Amino acid sequence: MSSHSASAQPSAVDEVVELCRDLLRIDTSNTGDNATTVGERVAAEYVAEKLAEVGVEAQLRESAPGRTSLVARIPGTDPTRGALLVHGHLDVVPADAAEWSVHPFSGEVADGYLWGRGAIDMKDFDAMALAVVRDWQRTGVRPPRDIVLAFTADEEAGGEYGAHFLVDRHPELLEGCTEAIGEVGGFSYTVNDDLRLYLIETAEKGLEWLRLHARGRPGHGSMVHDDNAVTALAEAVARVGRHRFPVVVTPTVRAFLEQVSEALGIELDPEDPELAIAKLGPIANLIGATIRNTANPTRLAAGYKDNVIPGRASATIDCRSLPGQSDIFLEQLREVVGPDIEIEYVHRQPAVETSFDGDLVDAMAAALRAEDPGARAVPYMLSGGTDAKAFQKLGIRCFGFAPLRLPADLNFSALFHGIDERVPVEGLQFGVRVLDRFLRQS
């Protein structure tokens, strides 16, 4: 990190835990409903204030009352180069305090971890980016290219009021951005004491939230009834929930599995990768969801009275399709649900995929190795979605790179939206050092 004078200002490493803790204490629960979503404006104003303290002016944009995103630009030394977008979301999924060991919005430090909803998804990275920029401003560091910081609302509900709003309504704030880094990448998977794979997200599955509708003949609940919409829907939903779509190994996943099988010394059959994936321990679930399209029933709605058979019943299905598979997946799903069930798109965002090469990837790998000599950067696909889906609409090449060195036994993927979400303090400080190196070299 950069050196300081005797009147030493805090460094990014010193400050990141405090910044993250402050953000965790702001309840930014996104319920998916504007009326009950809270805190995004408060969090955006906190970030704006922390940037203003060091002379960085931020632009706040509100898509609906309280749904606030923030963008700021840090000028680089070479204005001819494309800008790098560094993005993080400020909202979190709701948390039930009764289920947690500590209060989810306490920002408590205990057992070497910082606890709270958003600790890894993704106020940790928000704090890292903020800490690095504050340190640079205090010490006179200028990056080689423009850095555009974006702190968004609404990522947890698809980003319509956050990243998509910025892209669609305020693209001038992102002018010149050619590449981007964001969440769910750059975290470590320990192979042994001398080797840790750091998973860089180069792809993520497409998001299709679908509603299934069944229609039938309404009637009295006491009668024999052979055209019941609830029955038809329940049968279709059960078929979807039990169905396993065929394995499709994309270039990103193939590259990841080849690297992992070599590192672990296990045989890999590219046509049947599940045996290799089963040996990945804590990240097996994360990777296992990226070798096929998936469809999970999440909500049911039917009827208005206990003794009335309704004429219509509906279910919501959370579907995630592999890059290039969206249309094929819909055909496969139609076969599963049957011809009499109507399929409606509620929300649709395409998959993201880029190659694992170029100067930016080299800078990621070098920054990781500088802080962890046992680091090896590998590409992987995220089974979920991020704001990258919005930013790629502007032709921006998107990566997941929010660096964290994790304890070997931590089930990282289970912490996303999980109970007792927490980030290791040392991992957070490691992340700041890597991010600082990376942004100076990018």
Side-chain angles (χ1 to χ4, degrees):
M1 299 300 296
S2 50
S3 59
H4 300 289
S5 65
S7 62
Q9 292 282 357
S11 72
V13 173
D14 297 330
E15 194 173 55
V16 68
V17 176
E18 180 188 338
L19 292 169
C20 190
R21 185 200 64 203
D22 287 354
L23 286 168
L24 291 175
R25 289 177 175 174
I26 303 169
D27 180 353
T28 53
S29 296
N30 184 352
T31 62
D33 174 7
N34 282 356
T36 53
T37 292
V38 296
E40 289 171 338
R41 173 123 207 148
V42 178
E45 287 175 345
Y46 170 84
V47 173
E49 180 186 323
K50 290 295 177 185
L51 289 172
E53 280 177 10
V54 293
V56 176
E57 184 188 351
Q59 304 291 322
L60 271 65
R61 295 292 184 271
E62 201 167 76
S63 55
R67 310 308 303 272
T68 310
S69 299
L70 172 152
V71 181
R73 189 176 289 256
I74 314 299
T77 55
D78 183 355
T80 66
R81 291 187 59 195
L84 175 67
L85 174 64
V86 178
H87 62 94
H89 60 85
L90 293 168
D91 63 320
V92 298
V93 294
D96 180 352
E99 297 175 333
W100 283 56
S101 304
V102 302
H103 193 282
F105 300 106
S106 64
E108 189 172 315
V109 177
D111 304 324
Y113 286 85
L114 177 57
W115 301 62
R117 173 60 85 221
I120 53 132
D121 186 14
M122 66 172 292
K123 290 177 176 177
D124 58 338
F125 185 65
D126 295 337
M128 285 183 215
L130 196 51
V132 168
V133 166
R134 280 169 59 84
D135 189 46
W136 283 1
Q137 291 293 112
R138 287 190 295 253
T139 56
V141 174
R142 285 189 68 193
R145 62 201 286 198
D146 283 11
I147 304 288
V148 175
L149 298 175
F151 295 86
T152 61
D154 198 37
E155 190 276 342
E156 295 293 3
E160 179 186 346
Y161 292 95
H164 286 278
F165 170 75
L166 289 178
V167 165
D168 296 340
R169 300 282 296 278
H170 297 285
E172 72 284 354
L173 296 177
L174 306 167
E175 184 69 40
C177 290
T178 55
E179 295 167 306
I181 60 164
E183 65 178 327
V184 211
F187 57 92
S188 65
Y189 168 72
T190 299
V191 177
N192 55 49
D193 288 348
D194 302 317
L195 178 61
R196 275 159 297 284
L197 304 182
Y198 284 82
L199 280 62
I200 311 296
E201 189 220 291
T202 57
E204 57 186 54
K205 293 174 85 174
L207 182 151
E208 289 110 342
W209 290 341
L210 305 177
R211 206 151 283 150
L212 307 183
H213 301 290
R215 299 180 191 279
R217 192 176 71 252
H220 198 286
S222 66
M223 302 293 177
V224 175
H225 200 92
D226 59 5
D227 186 16
N228 188 318
V230 175
T231 305
L233 180 80
E235 289 172 342
V237 166
R239 286 195 297 274
V240 170
R242 293 197 183 99
H243 187 73
R244 289 293 169 271
F245 292 87
V247 169
V248 178
V249 181
T250 61
T252 295
V253 174
R254 185 179 298 272
F256 170 79
L257 290 172
E258 285 170 354
Q259 293 260 14
V260 165
S261 57
E262 180 201 333
L264 295 178
I266 55 179
E267 286 292 315
L268 171 66
D269 177 356
E271 305 313 311
D272 183 20
E274 291 183 282
L275 287 172
I277 290 170
K279 297 177 181 175
L280 297 181
I283 61 167
N285 279 349
L286 195 69
I287 305 303
T290 65
I291 59 168
R292 50 165 53 92
N293 301 316
T294 58
N296 282 305
T298 55
R299 302 179 75 176
L300 294 167
Y304 56 90
K305 200 168 184 294
D306 291 351
N307 63 349
V308 176
I309 296 167
R312 175 182 164 106
S314 301
T316 304
I317 313 289
D318 182 345
C319 304
R320 310 294 172 123
S321 61
L322 295 166
Q325 287 273 308
S326 185
D327 293 339
I328 297 165
F329 164 70
L330 185 59
E331 289 173 21
Q332 293 170 340
L333 186 69
R334 283 196 188 283
E335 283 184 32
V336 176
V337 300
D340 299 328
I341 303 290
E342 177 192 340
I343 299 176
E344 173 197 3
Y345 277 98
V346 179
H347 202 72
R348 188 178 194 182
Q349 295 183 18
V352 175
E353 188 161 34
T354 187
S355 54
F356 189 61
D357 55 20
D359 292 344
L360 201 70
V361 169
D362 292 345
M364 290 176 195
L368 287 165
R369 279 196 309 272
E371 293 296 334
D372 176 4
R376 184 190 299 172
V378 298
Y380 92 109
M381 182 188 297
L382 178 66
S383 57
T386 74
D387 281 338
K389 286 183 166 53
F391 297 126
Q392 77 163 357
K393 292 192 291 188
L394 295 176
I396 298 171
R397 187 181 181 208
C398 295
F399 295 88
F401 185 66
L404 277 178
R405 181 168 173 174
L406 301 169
D409 58 352
L410 182 68
N411 189 347
F412 184 60
S413 62
L415 295 177
F416 283 83
H417 301 184
I419 295 163
D420 287 343
E421 185 181 344
R422 60 199 183 277
V423 65
V425 171
E426 285 185 6
L428 194 57
Q429 293 169 331
F430 168 88
V432 164
R433 294 193 301 268
V434 172
L435 186 64
D436 180 76
R437 285 180 183 276
F438 164 72
L439 291 176
R440 288 173 191 243
Q441 297 166 356
S442 64

